[in-house]
Amino acid sequence: MTIPLIDEYNWQELEQAYGSAENAPKFLNDLLSGDEDLLDEAINDFLFGQACHQYTTYSCTPPVVKCVVFILNNYELDSYIISQLLQFIHACTYNAVSIPELRKEILLGLNCYKVFEKHPDEKVDLTADSLIKFCSTYGG
């Protein structure tokens, strides 16, 4: 299973915390994997360790956010994965205040976040609410 818009980017020219983001497509596709090890690596090692490392973002982060919003909008996911993906986007908001391209991608996810606003999983609901507040604050 592949995410169609991954091919829109020249990932090897984008940077993540430890260098080139050339492996981003593999990790993004692994977010849809049924394999727990691949999924864990994609979330913890890639999203929270490379694309947004300790709240620092990189040139790969805006396209990664775009892909994550696409995944949230187009695939059936369990609450844990939804929560992790929303938390990743939320972690990106700290730098998005001063990085217009990143802010734009987060703001474009507003309708996605609204879908999860009343989610039965409290972590999903709270993170979605926080992202909606970010959008209302920085959406102009």
Side-chain angles (χ1 to χ4, degrees):
M1 193 177 308
T2 61
I3 303 157
L5 52 95
I6 285 177
D7 295 335
E8 293 178 14
Y9 301 98
N10 192 355
W11 295 98
Q12 60 270 19
E13 292 181 8
L14 298 174
E15 294 291 316
Q16 47 96 338
Y18 301 101
S20 170
E22 65 189 322
N23 291 327
K26 175 215 175 307
F27 289 118
L28 289 166
N29 284 314
D30 285 350
L31 290 170
L32 301 172
S33 171
D35 183 310
E36 284 189 37
D37 291 334
L38 292 177
L39 183 58
D40 182 60
E41 186 177 26
I43 291 170
N44 295 311
D45 295 346
F46 179 67
L47 292 182
F48 289 106
Q50 297 175 30
C52 183
H53 180 67
Q54 298 179 347
Y55 301 103
T56 301
T57 57
Y58 305 87
S59 62
C60 79
T61 310
V64 170
V65 167
K66 183 175 184 175
C67 290
V68 167
V69 169
F70 180 87
I71 290 168
L72 286 164
N73 278 328
N74 292 284
Y75 296 93
E76 289 288 322
L77 305 166
D78 68 31
S79 293
Y80 171 76
I81 298 169
I82 294 167
S83 174
Q84 292 298 300
L85 297 182
L86 290 174
Q87 287 178 39
F88 162 73
I89 297 169
H90 185 265
C92 295
T93 62
Y94 294 94
N95 279 345
V97 171
S98 61
I99 301 173
E101 183 183 359
L102 179 57
R103 183 172 58 247
K104 179 186 129 208
E105 292 303 336
I106 294 171
L107 294 174
L108 286 171
L110 177 60
N111 289 333
C112 171
Y113 316 140
K114 287 181 177 180
V115 168
F116 300 108
E117 190 173 16
K118 303 282 187 231
H119 197 277
D121 183 310
E122 187 178 16
K123 275 188 176 180
V124 171
D125 177 47
L126 291 173
T127 308
D129 283 347
S130 183
L131 287 166
I132 292 165
K133 286 181 179 111
F134 175 86
C135 291
S136 67
T137 302
Y138 295 98

